[in-house]
Amino acid sequence: MQSAQNGGHLGAYILEQANIICNNNLLPTDRLEAIEDPSGLRLGVQEVTRLGMKEPHMYQIASVMKDVLIDRKNPKKVAEQVKAFRKDYNKVFYCFE
């Protein structure tokens, strides 16, 4: 069972400090009572692909998320790394067929 100290809500907040925006999200193993603090996180993969990022970039994003959430690196310091990574992805692409 997840506690409020390590739930998705706190994870999303910490990642936001590192310039990574995601949502907290219920996982199939969460109890419905955990709606206020679900244990999962959801990254908007559709949004990053719309910015032109591909599979290798997802590994980079996951690595930065690990740095902040698991290795407990300072999110404010990691934010500069994320800002530098993101600078080349500032145009939105849409597919029309």
Side-chain angles (χ1 to χ4, degrees):
M1 184 166 107
Q2 297 290 330
S3 71
Q5 295 178 346
N6 60 4
H9 182 73
L10 179 60
Y13 175 78
I14 292 170
L15 287 171
E16 184 176 347
Q17 304 309 303
N19 286 334
I20 298 173
I21 307 302
C22 60
N23 302 82
N24 53 331
N25 210 37
L26 278 174
L27 295 178
T29 55
D30 286 342
R31 296 180 331 172
L32 290 179
E33 295 82 18
I35 192 76
E36 293 296 321
D37 190 28
S39 59
L41 291 171
R42 180 188 169 278
L43 184 65
V45 175
Q46 179 179 358
E47 294 305 313
V48 295
T49 58
R50 197 177 311 202
L51 292 171
M53 295 181 196
K54 306 282 186 209
E55 185 176 333
H57 303 109
M58 302 306 144
Y59 289 108
Q60 289 178 269
I61 294 168
S63 177
V64 173
M65 291 174 75
K66 177 188 173 291
D67 288 346
V68 174
L69 296 175
I70 295 173
D71 298 339
R72 300 194 186 275
K73 291 186 179 176
N74 185 330
K76 297 288 186 186
K77 291 182 180 178
V78 174
E80 291 302 315
Q81 177 186 349
V82 172
K83 186 176 178 180
F85 170 73
R86 173 77 165 75
K87 74 176 175 52
D88 294 330
Y89 302 96
N90 54 20
K91 182 178 177 186
V92 176
F93 297 94
Y94 294 95
C95 296
F96 297 101
E97 293 186 35

